[in-house]
Amino acid sequence: QSALTQPPSASGSPGQSVTISCTGTSGDIGGYNYVSWYQQHPGKAPKLIIYEVNKRPSGVPDRFSGSKSGNTASLTVSGLQVEDEADYHCSSYAGSNWVFGGGTKLTVL
Amino acid sequence: QVQLQQSGPGLVKPSQTLSLTCAISADSVSSNSVAWNWIRQSPSRGLEWLGRTYYRSKWYNEYAVSVKSRITVNPDPSKNQFSLQLNSVSPEDTAVYYCARGKFYALDIWGQGTLVTVSS
């Protein structure tokens, strides 16, 4: 059982927006602004798309955005594209330790 | 660009030691601004951070509580790589193992992954 809670699935049509939640505790998400999000296509390694709650690494489209409120973080994908279909994992620093969510499978209908 | 290349056996017998190596290119294991991590992924446990090593005038290691008694992460500056050793493995340790660079409290560069199966 993962430390952070994500919905197992999410879906949207091309062009729409979808938001994925990630719930933790005051010991991880609520205690630090060090939430990150990873995109993982089948058979591939995870790819960092959001760090420090809402920052995007170079090369990540601005369609991906992150936010946090209390013990819950969120990833929003706007203007969905077919290539966005993947698993999305949240993670948080938890004091000399990192915790992950169980992952959300995003389907682009 | 920074790349991580993993190597090591894909099959380990129960009670033995799992050993993997991660070779770094275009960065340094002795860098003062990043850390070098091991993570694993299995269908039952999802992604699980295992441990890391980093250099800040001296070497430091941090390990997940779940594996702390069995894990060692070692840097090898002479070869610019770092390694994972996990002792006394059981079938529950079967997973895809990844090495990754840690920067800004996130994992920004990942290795290709190694499927390690624990079976006799």
Side-chain angles (χ1 to χ4, degrees), chain A residues 19-88:
Chain A
T19 297
I20 298 170
S21 63
C22 173
T23 302
T25 69
S26 58
D28 39 66
I29 292 176
Y32 306 93
N33 287 322
Y34 295 136
V35 176
S36 50
W37 289 89
Y38 302 87
Q39 178 191 62
Q40 185 177 30
H41 287 107
K44 300 293 188 181
K47 173 190 173 184
L48 178 67
I49 56 172
I50 295 288
Y51 68 100
E52 291 182 0
V53 178
N54 56 14
K55 298 178 181 177
R56 284 186 309 277
S58 174
V60 174
D62 60 6
R63 303 185 294 102
F64 294 91
S65 62
S67 62
K68 188 188 92 165
S69 177
N71 297 335
T72 298
S74 298
L75 171 72
T76 297
V77 187
S78 305
L80 273 174
Q81 298 184 4
V82 172
E83 58 263 34
D84 297 334
E85 184 162 298
D87 292 331
Y88 291 83

Coordinates of all heavy atoms in Angstrom, one line a residue, chain A residues 19-88:
Chain A
T19 N -7.8 16.7 -13.9 CA -7.0 16.9 -12.7 C -6.9 15.6 -11.9 O -7.9 14.9 -11.7 CB -7.6 18.0 -11.9 OG1 -7.6 19.2 -12.6 CG2 -6.9 18.2 -10.6
I20 N -5.7 15.3 -11.5 CA -5.4 14.1 -10.7 C -5.0 14.5 -9.3 O -4.1 15.4 -9.2 CB -4.3 13.3 -11.4 CG1 -4.7 12.8 -12.8 CG2 -3.9 12.1 -10.5 CD1 -3.6 12.2 -13.6
S21 N -5.6 14.0 -8.3 CA -5.3 14.3 -6.9 C -4.3 13.4 -6.3 O -4.1 12.2 -6.8 CB -6.6 14.4 -6.1 OG -7.1 13.1 -6.0
C22 N -3.7 13.8 -5.2 CA -2.7 13.0 -4.5 C -2.7 13.5 -3.0 O -2.4 14.6 -2.7 CB -1.3 13.3 -5.1 SG 0.1 12.6 -4.2
T23 N -3.2 12.6 -2.2 CA -3.4 13.0 -0.8 C -2.4 12.3 0.1 O -2.2 11.1 0.1 CB -4.9 12.6 -0.3 OG1 -5.8 13.2 -1.2 CG2 -5.1 13.0 1.1
G24 N -1.8 13.1 1.0 CA -0.9 12.6 2.0 C -1.2 13.0 3.4 O -2.4 13.1 3.7
T25 N -0.2 13.4 4.1 CA -0.4 13.8 5.5 C 0.5 15.0 5.8 O 1.2 15.5 4.9 CB 0.1 12.7 6.5 OG1 1.5 12.5 6.4 CG2 -0.6 11.4 6.2
S26 N 0.4 15.5 7.0 CA 1.2 16.7 7.4 C 2.7 16.3 7.5 O 3.6 17.2 7.5 CB 0.8 17.2 8.7 OG 0.9 16.2 9.7
G27 N 3.0 15.0 7.4 CA 4.4 14.6 7.5 C 5.1 14.5 6.1 O 6.3 14.3 6.0
D28 N 4.3 14.6 5.1 CA 4.8 14.6 3.7 C 4.3 15.8 2.9 O 4.9 16.9 3.0 CB 4.6 13.3 3.0 CG 3.2 12.7 3.3 OD1 2.2 13.3 2.9 OD2 3.2 11.6 3.9
I29 N 3.2 15.7 2.2 CA 2.8 16.8 1.4 C 2.5 18.0 2.2 O 2.9 19.1 1.8 CB 1.5 16.3 0.6 CG1 1.8 15.3 -0.4 CG2 0.8 17.6 -0.1 CD1 0.6 14.7 -1.2
G30 N 1.8 17.9 3.3 CA 1.5 19.1 4.1 C 2.6 19.8 4.7 O 2.5 20.9 5.1
G31 N 3.7 19.1 4.9 CA 4.9 19.6 5.6 C 6.0 20.2 4.8 O 6.8 20.9 5.3
Y32 N 5.9 20.0 3.5 CA 7.0 20.4 2.6 C 6.5 20.8 1.3 O 5.5 20.2 0.8 CB 8.0 19.3 2.4 CG 8.6 18.7 3.6 CD1 8.0 17.5 4.2 CD2 9.7 19.2 4.3 CE1 8.5 16.9 5.3 CE2 10.2 18.6 5.4 CZ 9.6 17.5 5.9 OH 10.1 16.9 7.1
N33 N 7.1 21.8 0.6 CA 6.7 22.2 -0.7 C 7.6 21.5 -1.7 O 8.2 22.0 -2.6 CB 6.8 23.7 -0.9 CG 5.7 24.4 -0.2 OD1 4.6 24.0 -0.2 ND2 6.0 25.6 0.4
Y34 N 7.7 20.1 -1.5 CA 8.6 19.3 -2.4 C 7.8 18.2 -3.0 O 8.2 17.0 -2.9 CB 9.7 18.8 -1.5 CG 10.7 19.8 -1.0 CD1 11.1 19.8 0.3 CD2 11.1 20.9 -1.9 CE1 12.0 20.8 0.7 CE2 12.0 21.8 -1.4 CZ 12.4 21.8 -0.1 OH 13.3 22.7 0.3
V35 N 6.6 18.5 -3.6 CA 5.8 17.5 -4.3 C 6.3 17.5 -5.8 O 6.5 18.5 -6.4 CB 4.3 17.9 -4.3 CG1 3.5 16.9 -5.1 CG2 3.8 18.0 -2.9
S36 N 6.5 16.3 -6.3 CA 6.8 16.1 -7.7 C 5.9 15.1 -8.3 O 5.2 14.3 -7.7 CB 8.3 15.6 -7.8 OG 8.5 14.5 -7.0
W37 N 5.8 15.2 -9.7 CA 4.9 14.4 -10.5 C 5.7 13.8 -11.6 O 6.6 14.4 -12.2 CB 3.8 15.2 -11.1 CG 2.7 15.6 -10.1 CD1 2.7 16.8 -9.3 CD2 1.5 14.9 -9.7 NE1 1.6 16.8 -8.5 CE2 0.9 15.7 -8.7 CE3 1.0 13.7 -10.1 CZ2 -0.3 15.3 -8.2 CZ3 -0.2 13.3 -9.5 CH2 -0.9 14.1 -8.6
Y38 N 5.4 12.5 -11.9 CA 6.2 11.7 -12.9 C 5.2 11.1 -13.9 O 4.1 10.6 -13.5 CB 7.0 10.6 -12.3 CG 8.0 11.2 -11.3 CD1 7.6 11.4 -10.0 CD2 9.3 11.6 -11.7 CE1 8.5 12.0 -9.0 CE2 10.2 12.1 -10.8 CZ 9.8 12.3 -9.5 OH 10.6 12.9 -8.5
Q39 N 5.5 11.2 -15.2 CA 4.8 10.5 -16.2 C 5.5 9.3 -16.6 O 6.7 9.3 -16.8 CB 4.7 11.5 -17.4 CG 3.9 10.9 -18.7 CD 4.1 11.8 -19.9 OE1 5.2 12.0 -20.3 NE2 3.1 12.4 -20.4
Q40 N 4.8 8.2 -16.8 CA 5.4 6.9 -17.2 C 4.6 6.2 -18.2 O 3.5 5.8 -18.0 CB 5.5 6.0 -15.9 CG 6.3 4.7 -16.2 CD 6.5 3.9 -15.0 OE1 5.7 3.9 -14.1 NE2 7.6 3.1 -15.0
H41 N 5.2 6.1 -19.4 CA 4.6 5.3 -20.5 C 5.0 3.8 -20.3 O 6.0 3.5 -19.7 CB 5.1 5.8 -21.8 CG 4.4 7.1 -22.2 ND1 5.1 8.3 -22.2 CD2 3.2 7.4 -22.6 CE1 4.3 9.3 -22.6 NE2 3.1 8.8 -22.8
P42 N 4.2 2.9 -20.8 CA 4.4 1.5 -20.6 C 5.8 1.0 -21.0 O 6.3 1.4 -22.1 CB 3.4 0.8 -21.5 CG 2.3 1.8 -21.6 CD 2.9 3.1 -21.6
G43 N 6.5 0.3 -20.1 CA 7.8 -0.2 -20.4 C 8.9 0.8 -20.3 O 10.1 0.5 -20.6
K44 N 8.6 2.0 -19.9 CA 9.6 3.1 -19.8 C 9.8 3.5 -18.4 O 9.0 3.3 -17.5 CB 9.1 4.3 -20.6 CG 8.9 4.0 -22.1 CD 10.2 3.7 -22.8 CE 10.0 3.6 -24.3 NZ 11.3 3.2 -25.0
A45 N 10.9 4.2 -18.2 CA 11.2 4.8 -16.9 C 10.3 6.0 -16.6 O 9.9 6.7 -17.6 CB 12.7 5.2 -16.7
P46 N 10.0 6.3 -15.4 CA 9.3 7.6 -15.1 C 10.0 8.8 -15.6 O 11.3 8.8 -15.6 CB 9.2 7.6 -13.6 CG 9.2 6.1 -13.2 CD 10.2 5.5 -14.2
K47 N 9.3 9.8 -15.9 CA 9.9 11.1 -16.4 C 9.3 12.2 -15.5 O 8.1 12.3 -15.3 CB 9.5 11.4 -17.9 CG 9.9 12.7 -18.4 CD 9.2 13.0 -19.7 CE 9.5 14.5 -20.2 NZ 8.8 14.8 -21.5
L48 N 10.2 13.0 -15.0 CA 9.8 14.2 -14.1 C 9.1 15.2 -15.0 O 9.6 15.7 -16.0 CB 11.0 14.8 -13.5 CG 10.8 16.0 -12.6 CD1 10.0 15.6 -11.3 CD2 12.1 16.6 -12.2
I49 N 7.9 15.6 -14.5 CA 7.1 16.7 -15.2 C 6.8 17.9 -14.3 O 6.6 19.0 -14.8 CB 5.8 16.1 -15.9 CG1 4.9 15.4 -14.8 CG2 6.2 15.2 -17.0 CD1 3.6 15.1 -15.4
I50 N 6.8 17.7 -13.0 CA 6.6 18.8 -12.1 C 7.5 18.5 -10.9 O 7.6 17.4 -10.4 CB 5.1 18.8 -11.6 CG1 4.2 19.2 -12.8 CG2 4.9 19.8 -10.5 CD1 4.2 20.6 -13.3
Y51 N 8.1 19.6 -10.4 CA 8.9 19.5 -9.1 C 8.6 20.7 -8.3 O 8.1 21.8 -8.8 CB 10.4 19.3 -9.4 CG 11.0 20.6 -10.0 CD1 11.8 21.4 -9.2 CD2 11.0 20.8 -11.4 CE1 12.4 22.5 -9.8 CE2 11.6 21.9 -11.9 CZ 12.3 22.8 -11.1 OH 12.9 23.9 -11.7
E52 N 8.8 20.6 -7.0 CA 8.5 21.7 -6.0 C 7.1 22.3 -6.2 O 6.9 23.5 -6.3 CB 9.6 22.8 -6.1 CG 11.0 22.3 -5.6 CD 12.0 23.4 -5.7 OE1 11.7 24.6 -6.1 OE2 13.2 23.1 -5.3
V53 N 6.2 21.4 -6.3 CA 4.7 21.6 -6.4 C 4.3 22.1 -7.7 O 3.3 21.5 -8.3 CB 4.3 22.6 -5.3 CG1 2.8 22.9 -5.4 CG2 4.6 22.1 -3.9
N54 N 4.9 23.1 -8.3 CA 4.4 23.7 -9.5 C 5.4 24.1 -10.5 O 5.1 25.0 -11.4 CB 3.5 24.9 -9.1 CG 4.3 25.9 -8.3 OD1 5.5 25.9 -8.2 ND2 3.6 26.8 -7.6
K55 N 6.6 23.6 -10.4 CA 7.7 24.0 -11.4 C 7.8 22.9 -12.4 O 7.8 21.8 -12.1 CB 9.0 24.3 -10.6 CG 8.9 25.4 -9.6 CD 10.2 25.6 -8.9 CE 10.1 26.7 -7.9 NZ 11.3 26.9 -7.1
R56 N 8.1 23.4 -13.7 CA 8.2 22.4 -14.8 C 9.7 22.4 -15.2 O 10.3 23.5 -15.5 CB 7.4 22.9 -16.0 CG 5.9 22.6 -15.9 CD 5.2 22.9 -17.2 NE 5.5 24.2 -17.7 CZ 4.9 25.3 -17.2 NH1 4.0 25.2 -16.3 NH2 5.3 26.5 -17.7
P57 N 10.2 21.2 -15.4 CA 11.6 21.1 -16.0 C 11.6 21.6 -17.4 O 10.5 21.7 -18.1 CB 11.9 19.6 -15.9 CG 10.9 19.0 -14.9 CD 9.7 19.9 -15.0
S58 N 12.7 22.0 -17.9 CA 12.9 22.5 -19.3 C 12.4 21.4 -20.2 O 12.7 20.2 -20.1 CB 14.3 22.8 -19.6 OG 14.5 23.1 -20.9
G59 N 11.5 21.8 -21.2 CA 11.0 20.9 -22.2 C 9.7 20.3 -21.9 O 9.1 19.7 -22.8
V60 N 9.2 20.5 -20.7 CA 7.8 20.0 -20.3 C 6.8 21.0 -20.7 O 6.9 22.2 -20.3 CB 7.7 19.6 -18.8 CG1 6.3 19.3 -18.5 CG2 8.7 18.5 -18.5
P61 N 5.8 20.7 -21.5 CA 4.8 21.6 -22.0 C 4.1 22.3 -20.8 O 3.9 21.7 -19.8 CB 3.9 20.8 -22.8 CG 4.6 19.6 -23.2 CD 5.6 19.3 -22.1
D62 N 3.7 23.6 -21.0 CA 3.0 24.3 -20.0 C 1.5 23.8 -19.9 O 0.8 24.3 -19.0 CB 3.0 25.8 -20.2 CG 2.4 26.2 -21.5 OD1 1.9 25.4 -22.2 OD2 2.5 27.4 -21.9
R63 N 1.1 22.8 -20.6 CA -0.2 22.1 -20.4 C -0.2 21.4 -19.1 O -1.3 21.1 -18.6 CB -0.5 21.2 -21.5 CG -0.4 21.8 -22.9 CD -0.8 20.8 -24.0 NE 0.1 19.7 -24.2 CZ -0.1 18.4 -23.7 NH1 -1.2 18.2 -23.0 NH2 0.8 17.5 -23.9
F64 N 1.0 21.1 -18.5 CA 1.1 20.4 -17.3 C 1.3 21.4 -16.2 O 2.2 22.3 -16.2 CB 2.2 19.4 -17.3 CG 2.0 18.3 -18.2 CD1 2.5 18.3 -19.5 CD2 1.4 17.1 -17.8 CE1 2.3 17.3 -20.4 CE2 1.2 16.0 -18.7 CZ 1.7 16.1 -20.0
S65 N 0.4 21.4 -15.1 CA 0.6 22.3 -14.0 C 0.3 21.6 -12.7 O -0.5 20.6 -12.7 CB -0.3 23.5 -14.2 OG -1.7 23.1 -14.2
G66 N 0.9 22.1 -11.6 CA 0.7 21.5 -10.3 C 0.3 22.5 -9.3 O 0.6 23.7 -9.4
S67 N -0.3 22.0 -8.2 CA -0.7 22.8 -7.1 C -0.8 22.0 -5.9 O -0.7 20.8 -5.9 CB -2.1 23.5 -7.4 OG -3.1 22.5 -7.6
K68 N -1.0 22.7 -4.7 CA -1.1 22.0 -3.5 C -2.0 22.8 -2.5 O -1.9 24.1 -2.5 CB 0.3 21.9 -2.8 CG 0.3 21.0 -1.6 CD 1.7 21.0 -0.9 CE 1.8 22.1 0.1 NZ 2.9 22.0 1.0
S69 N -2.8 22.1 -1.8 CA -3.6 22.7 -0.7 C -3.6 21.8 0.5 O -4.1 20.7 0.4 CB -5.0 23.0 -1.2 OG -5.8 23.6 -0.2
G70 N -3.0 22.2 1.6 CA -3.0 21.4 2.7 C -2.2 20.1 2.5 O -1.1 20.1 2.0
N71 N -2.8 19.0 2.7 CA -2.2 17.7 2.5 C -2.5 17.0 1.2 O -2.2 15.9 1.0 CB -2.7 16.7 3.6 CG -2.3 17.1 5.0 OD1 -1.3 17.9 5.2 ND2 -3.0 16.7 6.0
T72 N -3.1 17.8 0.3 CA -3.4 17.3 -1.1 C -2.7 18.1 -2.2 O -2.8 19.3 -2.2 CB -4.9 17.3 -1.3 OG1 -5.5 16.5 -0.3 CG2 -5.3 16.8 -2.7
A73 N -2.1 17.4 -3.1 CA -1.5 18.0 -4.3 C -2.3 17.6 -5.5 O -3.0 16.6 -5.4 CB -0.1 17.5 -4.4
S74 N -2.2 18.4 -6.5 CA -3.0 18.1 -7.7 C -2.1 18.3 -9.0 O -1.3 19.3 -9.0 CB -4.2 19.0 -7.8 OG -5.1 18.7 -6.7
L75 N -2.3 17.5 -10.0 CA -1.7 17.7 -11.3 C -2.9 17.9 -12.3 O -3.8 17.2 -12.3 CB -1.0 16.5 -11.7 CG -0.4 16.4 -13.2 CD1 0.7 17.4 -13.3 CD2 0.0 15.0 -13.6
T76 N -2.8 19.0 -13.1 CA -3.8 19.3 -14.1 C -3.1 19.2 -15.5 O -2.0 19.8 -15.7 CB -4.4 20.7 -13.9 OG1 -5.1 20.7 -12.6 CG2 -5.4 21.0 -15.0
V77 N -3.7 18.5 -16.3 CA -3.3 18.4 -17.7 C -4.3 19.1 -18.6 O -5.5 18.6 -18.6 CB -3.1 16.9 -18.2 CG1 -2.4 16.9 -19.6 CG2 -2.2 16.2 -17.2
S78 N -4.0 20.2 -19.2 CA -4.9 20.9 -20.0 C -4.7 20.6 -21.5 O -3.6 20.2 -21.9 CB -4.7 22.4 -19.8 OG -4.8 22.8 -18.4
G79 N -5.7 20.8 -22.3 CA -5.6 20.5 -23.7 C -5.0 19.1 -24.0 O -4.0 18.9 -24.7
L80 N -5.7 18.1 -23.4 CA -5.3 16.7 -23.5 C -4.9 16.3 -24.9 O -5.6 16.7 -25.9 CB -6.3 15.8 -23.0 CG -6.4 15.5 -21.5 CD1 -7.6 14.7 -21.2 CD2 -5.1 14.8 -21.1
Q81 N -3.8 15.6 -25.0 CA -3.3 15.1 -26.3 C -3.2 13.6 -26.2 O -3.0 13.0 -25.1 CB -2.0 15.7 -26.7 CG -2.1 17.2 -26.9 CD -0.8 17.8 -27.4 OE1 0.2 17.1 -27.7 NE2 -0.8 19.2 -27.6
V82 N -3.3 12.9 -27.3 CA -3.2 11.4 -27.3 C -2.0 10.9 -26.6 O -2.0 9.9 -25.8 CB -3.3 10.9 -28.7 CG1 -3.1 9.4 -28.7 CG2 -4.6 11.2 -29.3
E83 N -0.9 11.6 -26.8 CA 0.4 11.2 -26.2 C 0.5 11.4 -24.7 O 1.4 10.9 -24.0 CB 1.6 11.9 -26.8 CG 1.6 13.4 -26.7 CD 1.0 14.0 -28.0 OE1 0.1 13.4 -28.6 OE2 1.4 15.1 -28.3
D84 N -0.6 12.0 -24.1 CA -0.6 12.2 -22.6 C -1.1 10.9 -21.9 O -1.0 10.8 -20.7 CB -1.5 13.4 -22.2 CG -1.0 14.7 -22.8 OD1 0.2 14.8 -23.0 OD2 -1.8 15.6 -23.0
E85 N -1.6 10.0 -22.7 CA -2.1 8.7 -22.1 C -0.9 8.0 -21.5 O 0.1 7.6 -22.2 CB -2.8 7.9 -23.2 CG -3.4 6.6 -22.6 CD -4.4 6.0 -23.5 OE1 -5.5 6.6 -23.7 OE2 -4.2 4.8 -23.9
A86 N -0.9 7.8 -20.2 CA 0.2 7.3 -19.5 C -0.2 7.1 -18.0 O -1.3 7.5 -17.6 CB 1.4 8.2 -19.5
D87 N 0.7 6.5 -17.2 CA 0.6 6.5 -15.7 C 1.2 7.8 -15.2 O 2.3 8.2 -15.6 CB 1.2 5.3 -15.1 CG 0.5 4.0 -15.5 OD1 -0.8 4.0 -15.8 OD2 1.1 2.9 -15.6
Y88 N 0.6 8.3 -14.1 CA 1.1 9.5 -13.5 C 1.3 9.2 -12.0 O 0.3 8.7 -11.3 CB 0.2 10.7 -13.7 CG 0.2 11.2 -15.1 CD1 -0.6 10.6 -16.1 CD2 1.1 12.2 -15.5 CE1 -0.5 11.0 -17.4 CE2 1.1 12.6 -16.8 CZ 0.3 12.0 -17.8 OH 0.4 12.4 -19.1

